[in-house]
Amino acid sequence: DFILYKHGPFSFELRDDLAGMQADGLVDLVIQDPAYGPTYLATNLSEQFLSRFPNTTQRHLAKIRFVAEFLGNKGVADLEKLATALYIHKNSRITAAAERAKKLVALKPHISLCDAQRATGEIERLVSKAAEKNLV
């Protein structure tokens, strides 16, 4: 479950799960750029763990690659806009993209309407493409 938080949707449960994975040695926190904080990276142990479950890994691999391809080159500011736009898309009853963009600006006043419209459009395309590829 996610709630709308300071920089976008946030899951306390996911945070706790990641802390557990770190405690189990499956992920490490690595600071790649001090301005953006740490990044979770898979450890060798996690690679060994995943290799024991090839069917499960294979079942989710296309979804992971799809999301990674879409988000992999995005910076933190773009991720905030996109994550909030997706949160609104999934959790509101607003059907019109223009109205969802206005909602994004209402929730995040530092985001311009133009940027909110762009993010909302990107999310529309992402959701549509995911549905075309049967990834939802």
Side-chain angles (χ1 to χ4, degrees):
D1 291 331
F2 287 81
I3 61 166
L4 199 54
Y5 208 58
K6 184 177 179 181
H7 295 291
F10 185 81
S11 171
F12 290 94
E13 294 169 14
L14 178 57
R15 180 199 57 194
D16 293 346
D17 287 345
L18 287 167
M21 292 168 66
Q22 186 181 9
D24 291 338
L26 297 173
V27 295
D28 280 331
L29 277 175
V30 178
I31 297 175
Q32 295 178 325
D33 182 344
Y36 295 110
T39 299
Y40 285 101
L41 293 178
T43 65
N44 288 337
L45 181 60
S46 70
E47 299 297 330
Q48 294 169 15
F49 178 81
L50 289 174
S51 71
R52 294 193 324 225
F53 303 97
N55 292 338
T56 302
T57 303
Q58 195 61 35
R59 188 169 62 243
H60 298 287
L61 194 56
K63 292 176 185 178
I64 293 168
R65 285 186 175 147
F66 178 79
V67 172
E69 182 180 309
F70 179 72
L71 297 177
N73 64 348
K74 306 288 187 202
V76 68
D78 287 333
L79 291 172
E80 177 186 7
K81 294 170 202 159
L82 292 168
T84 306
L86 181 60
Y87 181 87
I88 294 166
H89 179 88
K90 292 181 65 125
N91 295 293
S92 77
R93 296 185 178 179
I94 303 170
T95 57
E99 293 303 312
R100 285 199 302 275
K102 289 179 185 175
K103 176 74 172 176
L104 197 158
V105 172
L107 292 169
K108 304 283 185 167
H110 64 281
I111 296 175
S112 71
L113 181 58
C114 181
D115 285 345
Q117 290 169 331
R118 190 175 302 116
T120 300
E122 282 189 62
I123 291 301
E124 292 288 322
R125 288 186 292 281
L126 175 72
V127 169
S128 177
K129 193 173 181 180
E132 286 173 14
K133 295 181 176 232
N134 294 316
L135 297 174
V136 289

